[in-house]
Coordinates of all heavy atoms in Angstrom, one line a residue:
Y1 N 24.7 -3.5 29.6 CA 25.0 -3.5 31.1 C 25.3 -4.8 31.6 O 24.7 -5.9 31.1 CB 23.8 -2.9 31.8 CG 23.7 -1.5 31.5 CD1 22.8 -1.0 30.6 CD2 24.4 -0.6 32.3 CE1 22.6 0.4 30.4 CE2 24.3 0.8 32.1 CZ 23.3 1.3 31.0 OH 23.2 2.7 30.9
N2 N 26.2 -5.1 32.5 CA 26.5 -6.3 33.2 C 25.3 -6.7 34.1 O 24.9 -5.8 34.9 CB 27.8 -6.1 34.0 CG 28.2 -7.5 34.6 OD1 27.5 -7.9 35.5 ND2 29.4 -8.0 34.2
V3 N 24.9 -7.8 33.9 CA 23.7 -8.3 34.6 C 23.9 -8.4 36.2 O 23.0 -8.2 36.9 CB 23.2 -9.7 34.2 CG1 24.2 -10.8 34.5 CG2 21.8 -10.1 34.6
Y4 N 25.2 -8.5 36.6 CA 25.5 -8.6 38.0 C 25.9 -7.3 38.7 O 25.4 -7.0 39.8 CB 26.6 -9.6 38.3 CG 26.4 -11.0 37.8 CD1 27.0 -11.5 36.5 CD2 25.4 -11.8 38.4 CE1 26.7 -12.7 36.1 CE2 25.1 -13.1 37.9 CZ 25.7 -13.5 36.7 OH 25.5 -14.7 36.2
S5 N 26.6 -6.5 38.0 CA 27.2 -5.2 38.6 C 26.3 -3.9 38.1 O 26.4 -3.0 38.8 CB 28.6 -5.0 38.2 OG 28.7 -4.6 36.9
G6 N 25.6 -4.1 37.1 CA 24.9 -2.9 36.5 C 25.8 -1.9 35.9 O 25.3 -0.9 35.3
M7 N 27.1 -2.2 35.8 CA 27.9 -1.3 35.0 C 28.0 -1.7 33.5 O 27.5 -2.7 33.0 CB 29.5 -1.5 35.7 CG 29.4 -1.4 37.1 SD 30.2 0.0 37.8 CE 31.4 0.5 36.9
Y8 N 28.5 -0.7 32.8 CA 28.7 -1.0 31.3 C 29.5 -2.2 31.0 O 30.6 -2.3 31.6 CB 29.4 0.2 30.7 CG 28.5 1.4 30.4 CD1 28.8 2.6 30.9 CD2 27.3 1.3 29.5 CE1 27.8 3.7 30.7 CE2 26.4 2.3 29.3 CZ 26.8 3.6 29.9 OH 25.9 4.6 29.7
A9 N 29.0 -3.1 30.3 CA 29.8 -4.4 30.0 C 30.6 -4.1 28.7 O 31.7 -4.7 28.5 CB 28.8 -5.6 29.7
G10 N 30.1 -3.4 27.9 CA 30.9 -3.0 26.7 C 30.4 -1.6 26.2 O 29.3 -1.4 26.0
M11 N 31.4 -0.8 25.9 CA 31.1 0.6 25.6 C 31.4 1.0 24.2 O 31.1 2.1 23.7 CB 31.7 1.6 26.6 CG 31.3 1.4 28.0 SD 32.2 2.4 29.2 CE 32.3 3.9 28.4
H12 N 32.0 0.1 23.4 CA 32.4 0.4 22.0 C 31.3 -0.2 21.1 O 30.7 -1.2 21.3 CB 33.6 -0.4 21.7 CG 34.2 0.2 20.4 ND1 35.1 1.2 20.5 CD2 34.1 -0.3 19.2 CE1 35.5 1.5 19.2 NE2 34.8 0.6 18.4
I13 N 30.8 0.7 20.2 CA 29.7 0.4 19.3 C 30.3 0.5 17.8 O 31.2 1.2 17.5 CB 28.6 1.3 19.4 CG1 28.9 2.7 19.1 CG2 27.9 1.1 20.7 CD1 27.7 3.6 18.9
N14 N 29.8 -0.4 17.0 CA 30.1 -0.4 15.6 C 28.8 -0.7 14.8 O 28.1 -1.7 15.2 CB 31.0 -1.5 15.1 CG 32.4 -1.3 15.7 OD1 33.1 -0.3 15.4 ND2 32.8 -2.3 16.5
Q15 N 28.5 0.2 13.9 CA 27.3 -0.1 13.0 C 27.5 0.5 11.7 O 28.1 1.6 11.5 CB 26.1 0.7 13.7 CG 24.8 0.5 12.9 CD 23.6 1.0 13.7 OE1 23.7 1.5 14.7 NE2 22.5 1.1 12.9
S16 N 27.0 -0.2 10.7 CA 27.2 0.4 9.3 C 25.9 0.1 8.4 O 25.1 -0.8 8.8 CB 28.4 -0.3 8.6 OG 28.1 -1.7 8.4
N17 N 25.8 0.8 7.4 CA 24.6 0.6 6.5 C 25.2 0.9 5.1 O 25.9 1.9 4.8 CB 23.6 1.7 6.8 CG 22.4 1.6 5.9 OD1 22.1 0.5 5.4 ND2 21.7 2.7 5.6
E18 N 25.0 -0.2 4.3 CA 25.6 -0.1 2.9 C 24.4 -0.4 1.9 O 23.6 -1.3 2.2 CB 26.7 -1.1 2.8 CG 27.2 -1.2 1.4 CD 28.4 -2.2 1.3 OE1 28.3 -3.2 2.1 OE2 29.0 -2.2 0.3
Y19 N 24.2 0.4 0.8 CA 23.3 0.1 -0.1 C 23.6 0.6 -1.5 O 24.5 1.4 -1.7 CB 21.9 0.7 0.3 CG 21.7 2.1 0.5 CD1 21.3 3.0 -0.5 CD2 22.1 2.7 1.7 CE1 21.3 4.4 -0.4 CE2 22.0 4.1 1.9 CZ 21.6 4.9 0.9 OH 21.4 6.3 1.1
F20 N 22.9 -0.1 -2.5 CA 23.0 0.3 -3.9 C 21.7 0.8 -4.4 O 20.7 0.2 -4.0 CB 23.4 -0.9 -4.7 CG 24.7 -1.4 -4.6 CD1 25.1 -2.4 -3.7 CD2 25.7 -1.0 -5.5 CE1 26.4 -2.8 -3.5 CE2 27.0 -1.4 -5.4 CZ 27.4 -2.3 -4.4
I21 N 21.7 1.8 -5.3 CA 20.6 2.2 -6.1 C 20.9 2.0 -7.5 O 21.9 2.5 -8.1 CB 20.2 3.6 -5.8 CG1 20.0 3.8 -4.3 CG2 19.0 4.0 -6.6 CD1 19.8 5.3 -3.9
F22 N 20.1 1.0 -8.2 CA 20.4 0.8 -9.6 C 19.4 1.6 -10.5 O 18.2 1.6 -10.1 CB 20.3 -0.7 -9.9 CG 21.3 -1.5 -9.2 CD1 21.1 -2.1 -8.0 CD2 22.5 -1.6 -9.8 CE1 22.1 -2.8 -7.4 CE2 23.5 -2.4 -9.2 CZ 23.3 -3.0 -7.9
S23 N 19.8 2.0 -11.6 CA 19.0 2.8 -12.6 C 19.5 2.5 -13.9 O 20.6 3.0 -14.3 CB 18.8 4.2 -12.3 OG 17.9 4.8 -13.3
G24 N 18.9 1.6 -14.8 CA 19.4 1.4 -16.1 C 20.8 0.6 -15.9 O 20.8 -0.4 -15.1
N25 N 21.9 1.2 -16.6 CA 23.2 0.6 -16.2 C 24.0 1.4 -15.4 O 25.2 1.3 -15.4 CB 23.8 0.3 -17.5 CG 24.4 1.5 -18.3 OD1 23.8 2.6 -18.2 ND2 25.4 1.4 -19.1
S26 N 23.3 2.4 -14.6 CA 24.2 3.2 -13.6 C 23.8 2.9 -12.3 O 22.7 2.1 -12.0 CB 23.9 4.7 -13.9 OG 22.6 5.0 -13.7
Y27 N 24.6 3.3 -11.3 CA 24.4 2.9 -9.9 C 24.8 4.0 -9.0 O 25.7 4.8 -9.4 CB 25.0 1.6 -9.5 CG 26.4 1.7 -9.4 CD1 27.1 2.0 -8.3 CD2 27.3 1.6 -10.6 CE1 28.6 2.3 -8.3 CE2 28.6 1.8 -10.6 CZ 29.3 2.0 -9.5 OH 30.6 2.2 -9.5
T28 N 24.4 4.0 -7.7 CA 24.8 4.8 -6.7 C 25.1 3.9 -5.6 O 24.1 3.1 -5.2 CB 23.9 5.9 -6.3 OG1 23.6 6.8 -7.3 CG2 24.4 6.7 -5.1
W29 N 26.3 3.9 -4.9 CA 26.6 3.1 -3.8 C 26.9 4.0 -2.6 O 27.6 5.0 -2.8 CB 27.9 2.3 -4.1 CG 28.5 1.6 -3.0 CD1 28.1 0.4 -2.5 CD2 29.6 1.9 -2.3 NE1 28.8 -0.1 -1.4 CE2 29.9 0.9 -1.3 CE3 30.5 3.0 -2.3 CZ2 30.9 1.0 -0.3 CZ3 31.5 3.0 -1.3 CH2 31.8 2.2 -0.4
K30 N 26.4 3.7 -1.4 CA 26.6 4.4 -0.3 C 27.0 3.5 0.9 O 26.4 2.4 1.0 CB 25.4 5.3 0.1 CG 25.1 6.4 -0.9 CD 23.9 7.1 -0.5 CE 23.5 8.2 -1.6 NZ 22.5 9.0 -1.2
L31 N 27.9 4.0 1.7 CA 28.3 3.3 3.0 C 28.3 4.4 4.0 O 28.9 5.4 4.0 CB 29.7 2.7 2.8 CG 30.2 2.0 4.0 CD1 29.4 0.9 4.5 CD2 31.7 1.6 3.8
Q32 N 27.6 4.1 5.2 CA 27.6 4.9 6.3 C 28.1 4.1 7.6 O 27.5 3.0 7.7 CB 26.2 5.4 6.5 CG 25.7 6.2 5.4 CD 24.1 6.4 5.5 OE1 23.4 5.6 6.0 NE2 23.7 7.5 4.9
V33 N 28.9 4.7 8.3 CA 29.6 3.9 9.4 C 29.5 4.8 10.6 O 29.9 6.0 10.6 CB 31.0 3.5 9.1 CG1 31.6 2.8 10.3 CG2 31.0 2.6 7.8
V34 N 29.1 4.2 11.8 CA 29.2 4.8 13.1 C 30.0 3.8 14.0 O 29.7 2.6 14.1 CB 27.9 4.9 13.7 CG1 28.0 5.5 15.2 CG2 27.0 6.0 12.9
N35 N 31.1 4.3 14.6 CA 32.0 3.5 15.6 C 32.6 4.4 16.6 O 32.8 5.6 16.4 CB 32.9 2.5 14.9 CG 34.1 3.2 14.2 OD1 34.3 4.4 14.6 ND2 34.6 2.7 13.2
G36 N 33.0 3.8 17.8 CA 33.7 4.5 18.8 C 32.9 4.1 20.1 O 32.2 3.3 20.2
M37 N 33.5 4.8 21.1 CA 32.9 4.8 22.5 C 31.5 5.3 22.6 O 31.3 6.3 21.9 CB 33.8 5.4 23.4 CG 35.3 4.8 23.5 SD 35.4 3.1 24.0 CE 35.0 3.2 25.7
A38 N 30.6 4.6 23.4 CA 29.3 5.0 23.4 C 29.4 6.5 24.0 O 30.0 6.7 24.9 CB 28.5 4.1 24.4
G39 N 28.6 7.3 23.5 CA 28.6 8.7 23.9 C 29.6 9.7 23.2 O 29.5 10.9 23.3
N40 N 30.5 9.0 22.4 CA 31.5 9.8 21.7 C 31.8 9.0 20.3 O 32.9 8.9 19.9 CB 32.8 9.9 22.5 CG 33.8 10.9 21.8 OD1 33.3 11.8 21.1 ND2 35.0 10.7 22.1
A41 N 30.7 8.5 19.7 CA 30.9 7.7 18.5 C 31.1 8.7 17.4 O 30.6 9.8 17.4 CB 29.6 6.8 18.3
Q42 N 31.9 8.3 16.4 CA 32.2 9.0 15.2 C 31.4 8.5 13.9 O 31.1 7.3 13.8 CB 33.7 9.0 15.0 CG 34.5 9.5 16.0 CD 34.3 11.0 16.4 OE1 34.2 11.7 15.6 NE2 34.0 11.3 17.6
Y43 N 30.9 9.5 13.1 CA 30.2 9.1 12.0 C 30.9 9.3 10.7 O 31.5 10.4 10.7 CB 28.8 9.9 12.0 CG 28.1 9.8 10.6 CD1 27.3 8.6 10.3 CD2 28.2 10.9 9.7 CE1 26.6 8.6 9.2 CE2 27.4 10.7 8.5 CZ 26.7 9.6 8.3 OH 26.0 9.6 7.1
T44 N 30.9 8.5 9.7 CA 31.5 8.8 8.4 C 30.8 8.2 7.4 O 30.0 7.2 7.6 CB 33.0 8.3 8.3 OG1 33.7 8.7 7.2 CG2 33.1 6.9 8.5
K45 N 30.9 8.7 6.2 CA 30.1 8.1 5.1 C 31.0 8.3 3.7 O 31.9 9.1 3.8 CB 28.8 8.8 4.8 CG 28.8 10.2 4.4 CD 27.4 10.8 4.3 CE 27.5 12.2 3.7 NZ 26.3 12.7 3.4
T46 N 30.7 7.5 2.8 CA 31.3 7.6 1.5 C 30.4 7.0 0.5 O 29.5 6.4 0.8 CB 32.7 6.7 1.4 OG1 33.3 6.9 0.1 CG2 32.4 5.3 1.6
E47 N 30.5 7.6 -0.8 CA 29.6 7.1 -1.8 C 30.4 7.1 -3.1 O 31.2 7.9 -3.3 CB 28.3 7.9 -1.8 CG 28.4 9.3 -2.4 CD 27.0 9.9 -2.4 OE1 26.4 10.2 -1.4 OE2 26.4 10.1 -3.6
S48 N 29.9 6.3 -4.1 CA 30.3 6.2 -5.4 C 29.2 6.2 -6.4 O 28.2 5.7 -6.0 CB 31.3 5.0 -5.7 OG 32.5 5.1 -4.8
K49 N 29.4 6.7 -7.5 CA 28.5 6.7 -8.6 C 29.1 6.2 -9.9 O 30.3 6.5 -10.1 CB 27.9 8.0 -8.9 CG 26.9 8.4 -7.7 CD 26.2 9.7 -8.1 CE 25.4 10.2 -6.9 NZ 24.7 11.4 -7.1
G50 N 28.5 5.5 -10.8 CA 29.1 5.1 -11.9 C 28.3 4.1 -12.8 O 26.9 4.2 -12.7
T51 N 28.9 3.4 -13.6 CA 28.2 2.4 -14.5 C 28.5 1.1 -14.0 O 29.6 0.8 -13.5 CB 28.4 2.6 -16.0 OG1 29.7 2.5 -16.1 CG2 27.9 4.0 -16.3
F52 N 27.6 0.0 -14.4 CA 28.0 -1.4 -14.1 C 27.8 -2.2 -15.3 O 27.0 -1.8 -16.2 CB 27.2 -1.9 -12.9 CG 25.7 -2.1 -13.1 CD1 25.3 -3.3 -13.5 CD2 24.9 -1.1 -13.0 CE1 24.0 -3.6 -13.8 CE2 23.5 -1.3 -13.2 CZ 23.0 -2.5 -13.6
S53 N 28.5 -3.4 -15.4 CA 28.2 -4.3 -16.5 C 28.1 -5.7 -15.9 O 28.3 -5.9 -14.8 CB 29.3 -4.1 -17.5 OG 30.5 -4.5 -16.9
V54 N 27.7 -6.6 -16.8 CA 27.5 -8.0 -16.3 C 28.4 -8.8 -17.2 O 27.9 -9.2 -18.3 CB 26.0 -8.5 -16.4 CG1 25.8 -9.9 -16.0 CG2 25.1 -7.5 -15.7
P55 N 29.6 -9.1 -16.8 CA 30.6 -9.8 -17.7 C 30.2 -11.2 -18.0 O 30.5 -11.8 -19.0 CB 31.9 -9.6 -17.0 CG 31.6 -9.3 -15.6 CD 30.3 -8.7 -15.6
N56 N 29.4 -11.8 -17.1 CA 28.9 -13.2 -17.3 C 27.7 -13.3 -16.3 O 27.5 -12.5 -15.4 CB 30.1 -14.3 -17.0 CG 30.5 -14.2 -15.5 OD1 29.8 -14.5 -14.6 ND2 31.9 -14.1 -15.3
P57 N 27.0 -14.4 -16.3 CA 25.7 -14.5 -15.5 C 26.0 -14.5 -14.0 O 25.1 -14.4 -13.3 CB 25.2 -15.9 -16.0 CG 25.7 -16.1 -17.4 CD 27.1 -15.4 -17.4
W58 N 27.3 -14.6 -13.7 CA 27.5 -14.8 -12.2 C 28.4 -13.6 -11.6 O 28.8 -13.7 -10.5 CB 28.2 -16.0 -11.9 CG 27.3 -17.3 -12.3 CD1 27.4 -18.1 -13.4 CD2 26.2 -17.7 -11.6 NE1 26.4 -18.9 -13.4 CE2 25.6 -18.7 -12.4 CE3 25.4 -17.2 -10.5 CZ2 24.5 -19.4 -12.0 CZ3 24.4 -17.9 -10.2 CH2 23.8 -19.0 -11.0
Q59 N 28.5 -12.5 -12.4 CA 29.4 -11.4 -11.9 C 28.8 -10.1 -12.3 O 28.2 -9.9 -13.3 CB 30.8 -11.5 -12.5 CG 31.6 -12.8 -11.8 CD 33.0 -12.8 -12.3 OE1 33.4 -12.6 -13.4 NE2 33.9 -13.1 -11.2
L60 N 29.1 -9.1 -11.4 CA 28.8 -7.7 -11.7 C 30.2 -6.8 -11.6 O 30.9 -7.0 -10.7 CB 27.9 -7.1 -10.7 CG 26.5 -7.5 -10.7 CD1 25.6 -7.0 -9.7 CD2 25.7 -7.2 -12.1
Q61 N 30.4 -6.0 -12.6 CA 31.6 -5.1 -12.6 C 31.0 -3.8 -12.4 O 30.4 -3.2 -13.3 CB 32.3 -5.2 -14.0 CG 33.5 -4.3 -14.2 CD 34.7 -4.7 -13.4 OE1 35.1 -6.0 -13.4 NE2 35.2 -3.9 -12.7
F62 N 31.6 -3.1 -11.4 CA 31.2 -1.6 -11.1 C 32.4 -0.7 -11.5 O 33.6 -1.2 -11.2 CB 30.9 -1.5 -9.6 CG 29.7 -2.1 -9.2 CD1 29.8 -3.4 -8.7 CD2 28.5 -1.7 -9.4 CE1 28.6 -4.2 -8.2 CE2 27.3 -2.3 -9.0 CZ 27.3 -3.6 -8.5
S63 N 32.2 0.3 -12.1 CA 33.2 1.3 -12.6 C 33.9 1.9 -11.5 O 35.2 2.2 -11.6 CB 32.7 2.4 -13.4 OG 31.7 3.1 -12.7
K64 N 33.4 2.1 -10.2 CA 34.0 2.7 -9.0 C 33.3 2.4 -7.8 O 32.2 2.9 -7.7 CB 34.2 4.2 -9.2 CG 35.0 4.8 -8.2 CD 35.3 6.2 -8.3 CE 36.0 6.8 -7.2 NZ 35.5 8.1 -6.6
I65 N 33.9 1.7 -6.9 CA 33.5 1.5 -5.5 C 34.6 1.9 -4.6 O 35.7 1.4 -4.7 CB 33.1 0.1 -5.2 CG1 31.9 -0.4 -6.1 CG2 32.7 -0.1 -3.8 CD1 30.5 0.1 -5.8
E66 N 34.5 3.0 -3.8 CA 35.6 3.6 -3.1 C 36.6 4.2 -4.1 O 36.4 5.2 -4.7 CB 36.1 2.6 -2.0 CG 35.0 2.4 -1.0 CD 35.5 1.5 0.2 OE1 35.7 0.3 0.0 OE2 36.0 2.2 1.2
S67 N 37.6 3.5 -4.3 CA 38.8 4.1 -4.9 C 39.0 3.6 -6.3 O 39.9 4.0 -7.0 CB 40.1 3.8 -4.1 OG 40.3 2.4 -4.0
G68 N 38.2 2.6 -6.8 CA 38.4 2.1 -8.2 C 37.4 1.1 -8.6 O 36.4 0.8 -7.9
P69 N 37.6 0.5 -9.7 CA 36.7 -0.6 -10.2 C 36.7 -1.7 -9.3 O 37.6 -2.1 -8.7 CB 37.3 -0.9 -11.6 CG 38.5 -0.3 -11.8 CD 38.7 0.7 -10.8
K70 N 35.6 -2.4 -9.2 CA 35.4 -3.6 -8.4 C 34.5 -4.6 -9.1 O 33.5 -4.3 -9.7 CB 34.7 -3.1 -7.1 CG 34.6 -4.1 -6.0 CD 35.8 -4.3 -5.1 CE 35.9 -3.1 -4.2 NZ 36.5 -3.4 -3.0
L71 N 35.0 -5.8 -8.9 CA 34.2 -7.0 -9.5 C 33.8 -7.8 -8.4 O 34.4 -8.2 -7.5 CB 35.2 -7.9 -10.4 CG 34.6 -9.1 -11.0 CD1 33.6 -8.8 -12.1 CD2 35.7 -10.0 -11.6
Y72 N 32.4 -8.1 -8.5 CA 31.8 -9.0 -7.4 C 31.2 -10.2 -8.1 O 30.7 -10.2 -9.3 CB 30.6 -8.2 -6.8 CG 31.0 -7.1 -6.0 CD1 31.0 -5.8 -6.4 CD2 31.2 -7.3 -4.6 CE1 31.3 -4.7 -5.5 CE2 31.5 -6.4 -3.8 CZ 31.5 -5.0 -4.2 OH 31.9 -4.1 -3.3
N73 N 31.2 -11.3 -7.4 CA 30.5 -12.5 -7.7 C 29.1 -12.3 -7.2 O 28.9 -11.7 -6.1 CB 31.1 -13.8 -7.0 CG 32.5 -14.1 -7.6 OD1 32.8 -13.8 -8.7 ND2 33.3 -14.7 -6.7
A74 N 28.2 -12.6 -8.0 CA 26.7 -12.3 -7.6 C 25.7 -13.4 -8.0 O 26.0 -14.2 -8.9 CB 26.4 -11.1 -8.4
F75 N 24.6 -13.3 -7.3 CA 23.5 -14.2 -7.6 C 22.3 -13.6 -6.9 O 22.4 -12.8 -6.0 CB 23.7 -15.7 -7.2 CG 23.7 -15.9 -5.7 CD1 22.6 -16.2 -5.1 CD2 24.9 -16.0 -5.1 CE1 22.7 -16.6 -3.8 CE2 25.1 -16.3 -3.7 CZ 23.9 -16.7 -3.1
W76 N 21.1 -14.0 -7.4 CA 19.7 -13.5 -6.8 C 19.3 -14.6 -6.0 O 19.3 -15.8 -6.3 CB 18.8 -13.2 -7.8 CG 19.0 -11.9 -8.6 CD1 19.7 -11.7 -9.8 CD2 18.7 -10.5 -8.2 NE1 19.8 -10.4 -10.1 CE2 19.2 -9.6 -9.1 CE3 18.2 -10.0 -7.0 CZ2 19.0 -8.3 -8.9 CZ3 18.0 -8.8 -6.9 CH2 18.5 -7.9 -7.8
R77 N 18.5 -14.3 -4.9 CA 17.7 -15.1 -4.1 C 16.3 -14.6 -4.2 O 16.2 -13.4 -4.1 CB 18.1 -15.3 -2.7 CG 19.3 -16.0 -2.3 CD 19.4 -16.2 -0.9 NE 20.6 -17.1 -0.7 CZ 21.3 -17.1 0.4 NH1 21.1 -16.3 1.4 NH2 22.2 -17.9 0.5
C78 N 15.3 -15.4 -4.4 CA 14.0 -14.9 -4.5 C 13.2 -15.6 -3.4 O 13.2 -16.8 -3.2 CB 13.4 -15.3 -5.9 SG 14.3 -14.3 -7.3
I79 N 12.4 -14.9 -2.7 CA 11.6 -15.3 -1.7 C 10.2 -14.7 -1.8 O 10.2 -13.6 -2.6 CB 12.1 -15.0 -0.2 CG1 12.3 -13.6 0.1 CG2 13.4 -15.8 0.0 CD1 12.7 -13.2 1.5
K80 N 9.1 -15.1 -1.3 CA 7.9 -14.4 -1.4 C 7.9 -13.0 -1.1 O 8.3 -12.7 0.1 CB 6.9 -15.3 -0.7 CG 5.5 -14.9 -0.8 CD 4.4 -15.6 -0.1 CE 3.0 -15.1 -0.4 NZ 2.1 -15.9 0.2
G81 N 7.6 -12.1 -2.0 CA 7.6 -10.7 -1.8 C 8.9 -9.9 -1.8 O 8.9 -8.7 -1.6
A82 N 10.0 -10.7 -2.2 CA 11.2 -9.9 -2.2 C 12.3 -10.6 -3.1 O 12.1 -11.8 -3.4 CB 11.8 -9.8 -0.8
R83 N 13.2 -9.8 -3.6 CA 14.4 -10.3 -4.3 C 15.6 -9.9 -3.5 O 15.7 -8.8 -2.9 CB 14.5 -9.8 -5.7 CG 13.3 -10.2 -6.6 CD 13.4 -9.5 -7.9 NE 13.0 -8.2 -7.7 CZ 13.2 -7.2 -8.5 NH1 13.8 -7.3 -9.7 NH2 12.7 -6.0 -8.3
I84 N 16.6 -10.7 -3.4 CA 17.8 -10.4 -2.6 C 18.9 -10.6 -3.5 O 19.2 -11.7 -4.0 CB 17.9 -11.4 -1.3 CG1 16.6 -11.2 -0.5 CG2 19.1 -11.1 -0.5 CD1 16.5 -12.1 0.7
L85 N 19.7 -9.5 -3.7 CA 21.0 -9.6 -4.5 C 22.1 -9.9 -3.5 O 22.3 -9.2 -2.5 CB 21.2 -8.2 -5.1 CG 22.5 -8.1 -5.9 CD1 22.6 -9.0 -7.1 CD2 22.7 -6.6 -6.4
C86 N 22.9 -11.0 -3.9 CA 23.9 -11.4 -2.9 C 25.3 -11.1 -3.7 O 25.5 -11.6 -4.9 CB 23.8 -12.9 -2.7 SG 22.2 -13.3 -1.9
L87 N 26.2 -10.4 -2.9 CA 27.5 -10.0 -3.7 C 28.6 -10.4 -2.8 O 28.5 -10.3 -1.5 CB 27.5 -8.5 -3.9 CG 26.4 -7.9 -4.8 CD1 26.5 -6.4 -4.7 CD2 26.6 -8.4 -6.2
I88 N 29.6 -10.8 -3.3 CA 31.0 -11.0 -2.6 C 32.1 -10.5 -3.6 O 32.1 -10.7 -4.8 CB 31.1 -12.4 -2.2 CG1 32.2 -12.6 -1.2 CG2 31.2 -13.3 -3.4 CD1 32.3 -13.9 -0.5
D89 N 33.2 -9.7 -2.9 CA 34.3 -9.4 -3.7 C 34.9 -10.5 -4.4 O 35.3 -11.3 -3.7 CB 35.2 -8.6 -2.8 CG 36.3 -7.8 -3.4 OD1 36.8 -8.3 -4.5 OD2 36.7 -6.8 -3.0
A90 N 35.1 -10.5 -5.7 CA 35.7 -11.5 -6.5 C 37.1 -11.7 -6.1 O 37.5 -12.8 -6.2 CB 35.4 -11.4 -8.0
K91 N 37.8 -10.6 -5.8 CA 39.2 -10.7 -5.6 C 39.5 -11.2 -4.1 O 40.6 -11.8 -4.0 CB 39.9 -9.3 -5.9 CG 41.4 -9.4 -5.9 CD 41.9 -7.9 -6.4 CE 43.5 -8.0 -6.4 NZ 44.0 -6.7 -6.8
Y92 N 38.8 -10.7 -3.2 CA 38.9 -11.0 -1.8 C 37.6 -11.6 -1.2 O 37.0 -10.9 -0.6 CB 39.3 -9.7 -1.0 CG 40.5 -9.1 -1.5 CD1 40.5 -7.9 -2.3 CD2 41.9 -9.7 -1.3 CE1 41.7 -7.3 -2.7 CE2 42.9 -9.0 -1.8 CZ 42.9 -7.8 -2.6 OH 44.0 -7.3 -3.0
P93 N 37.4 -12.8 -1.5 CA 36.1 -13.5 -1.1 C 35.8 -13.6 0.4 O 34.8 -13.9 0.9 CB 36.1 -14.8 -1.7 CG 37.4 -15.1 -2.1 CD 38.2 -13.9 -2.2
A94 N 36.9 -13.4 1.2 CA 36.8 -13.3 2.8 C 35.9 -14.5 3.3 O 35.0 -14.3 4.2 CB 36.1 -11.9 3.2
G95 N 36.2 -15.7 3.0 CA 35.6 -16.8 3.6 C 34.3 -17.2 3.1 O 33.6 -18.0 3.7
G96 N 33.9 -16.7 2.0 CA 32.6 -17.1 1.3 C 31.4 -16.5 1.8 O 30.2 -17.0 1.6
V97 N 31.4 -15.5 2.7 CA 30.2 -14.8 3.1 C 29.8 -13.6 2.3 O 30.4 -12.7 2.0 CB 30.4 -14.2 4.5 CG1 29.2 -13.6 5.1 CG2 30.8 -15.4 5.6
Y98 N 28.5 -13.9 1.6 CA 28.0 -12.9 0.7 C 27.2 -11.9 1.4 O 26.5 -12.1 2.4 CB 27.1 -13.6 -0.2 CG 27.6 -14.4 -1.4 CD1 28.3 -15.5 -1.2 CD2 27.7 -13.8 -2.7 CE1 28.9 -16.3 -2.2 CE2 28.2 -14.5 -3.8 CZ 28.9 -15.7 -3.6 OH 29.5 -16.4 -4.6
T99 N 27.3 -10.5 1.1 CA 26.6 -9.6 1.5 C 25.3 -9.5 0.8 O 25.3 -9.6 -0.4 CB 27.3 -8.1 1.4 OG1 28.6 -8.2 2.1 CG2 26.5 -7.0 2.0
Q100 N 24.1 -9.4 1.4 CA 22.8 -9.4 0.8 C 22.1 -8.1 0.9 O 22.1 -7.4 1.9 CB 22.0 -10.5 1.5 CG 22.6 -11.9 1.6 CD 21.9 -12.9 2.1 OE1 20.7 -13.0 2.1 NE2 22.6 -13.9 2.8
Y101 N 21.6 -7.7 -0.3 CA 20.9 -6.5 -0.4 C 19.4 -6.9 -0.9 O 19.3 -7.7 -1.8 CB 21.5 -5.6 -1.5 CG 22.9 -5.2 -1.2 CD1 23.9 -6.1 -1.6 CD2 23.2 -4.2 -0.3 CE1 25.3 -5.9 -1.3 CE2 24.6 -3.9 0.0 CZ 25.6 -4.8 -0.4 OH 26.9 -4.6 -0.2
G102 N 18.4 -6.4 -0.3 CA 17.0 -6.7 -0.7 C 16.1 -5.5 -0.6 O 16.4 -4.5 0.0
L103 N 15.0 -5.7 -1.3 CA 13.9 -4.7 -1.4 C 12.6 -5.5 -1.4 O 12.4 -6.2 -2.4 CB 14.1 -3.8 -2.6 CG 13.0 -2.8 -2.9 CD1 12.9 -1.8 -1.8 CD2 13.2 -2.1 -4.2
A104 N 11.9 -5.3 -0.4 CA 10.6 -6.0 -0.3 C 9.5 -5.0 -0.7 O 9.6 -3.8 -0.5 CB 10.3 -6.4 1.1
K105 N 8.5 -5.5 -1.4 CA 7.4 -4.7 -1.8 C 6.1 -5.1 -1.1 O 5.9 -6.2 -0.8 CB 7.2 -4.7 -3.3 CG 8.4 -4.1 -4.0 CD 7.9 -4.0 -5.5 CE 9.1 -3.2 -6.2 NZ 8.8 -2.8 -7.5

């Protein structure tokens, strides 16, 4: 809401949730997205399952993400109580911003 008028300042929303589930050398990848005008937002999801490999210590190769195989540059960050997997598309690095996936215990 606009602080001066009380009217909606921005009515368009975008939200997404992406995650991986690893088991042995197989994985499940899911992407859920909500976007649109507030009150009329649309929801969509997609998922892929397959196998992955580690071609070198700094990359992960997935058999299918969305429409085909995908190679990611990867590294782990470790903090107290959690491990964070950092991935970026090796073909389209998009400015060097890694997507981070974590699981805290």
